[in-house]
Amino acid sequence: MTYPPGPRGPQGHNYPPPPPQPYSTGPDQFSAPPKKSPALKWVLLGVVVLVAIVVAAGAVFYLARDRGATEASQVRSGDCLTEIPDSSRVLYVKTVSCDQPHKGEVFAVLSLPDGDFPGDAEVVKYTDKCGPALARYAPGASEESGIQLFVLYPTEDSWQRGDRTVTCIATSKNPRSGKLE
């Protein structure tokens, strides 16, 4: 019997080398695949926690900022406002008890008739009813120096959302406490 040329087997015998084994026979032969790094799980957990913190902080900020805020179309006669709006589009006003310092007091809320929007000119004309309403609400207010009128009224846009109120507000440049007399 002849063997192909090549290195001789162990201890000088002419045995052929053993064929390569297709599988490993070590202790790790049937082990589970290597575990994935937990870093991805920690990153995802961190992102979820961060998002939760941002949402919670936003909610706290929103609630703290709008404490005392009332929808402008929901204020009533006798409500006092901490500040007078400085915009022609007013959605919210900050209300406060009238015994606290305030710059405005709502003295009349007039309702416009339902129907189609009457136009800006008619709405502004309707606001002329605020002067006589102040005289009825607080007869001495017209004699106080520094008392002025500020009026909130519906726009065509707010009319579409159901706003039909003209809100008459007596204002003062400096904060005051107490109701108008």
Side-chain angles (χ1 to χ4, degrees):
M1 177 159 118
T2 59
Y3 291 102
R8 293 185 184 246
Q11 299 177 0
H13 298 288
N14 284 335
Y15 297 114
Q21 297 291 323
Y23 303 104
S24 170
T25 56
D28 295 329
Q29 179 179 359
F30 296 107
S31 66
K35 292 185 177 182
K36 293 182 181 175
S37 169
L40 180 60
K41 291 178 186 177
W42 285 110
V43 168
L44 289 175
L45 180 64
V47 168
V48 168
V49 168
L50 182 64
V51 168
I53 289 171
V54 168
V55 168
V60 167
F61 176 75
Y62 177 78
L63 293 174
R65 180 182 61 98
D66 288 336
R67 181 171 291 153
T70 304
E71 198 170 328
S73 62
Q74 300 300 313
V75 294
R76 299 291 168 239
S77 181
D79 288 347
C80 290
L81 310 179
T82 58
E83 293 291 328
I84 302 306
D86 59 359
S87 170
S88 62
R89 303 246 182 216
V90 178
L91 297 176
Y92 292 93
V93 292
K94 292 205 178 213
T95 58
V96 67
S97 172
C98 291
D99 61 349
Q100 300 291 318
H102 58 275
K103 289 189 175 181
E105 183 175 335
V106 177
F107 62 86
V109 179
L110 311 171
S111 295
L112 288 158
D114 280 331
D116 293 335
F117 182 68
D120 289 329
E122 285 300 313
V123 171
V124 170
K125 185 177 174 184
Y126 200 82
T127 66
D128 291 341
K129 295 181 179 189
C130 287
L134 179 59
R136 288 188 300 276
Y137 180 82
S142 60
E143 297 173 15
E144 283 189 49
S145 65
I147 298 293
Q148 298 178 350
L149 291 180
F150 183 81
V151 181
L152 297 175
Y153 53 87
T155 62
E156 186 171 6
D157 185 46
S158 70
W159 188 275
Q160 299 303 320
R161 293 189 308 268
D163 182 11
R164 304 286 188 276
T165 58
V166 171
T167 305
C168 307
I169 305 167
T171 67
S172 59
K173 185 175 183 178
N174 297 318
R176 58 180 282 139
S177 297
K179 291 198 157 274
L180 292 171
E181 298 176 4

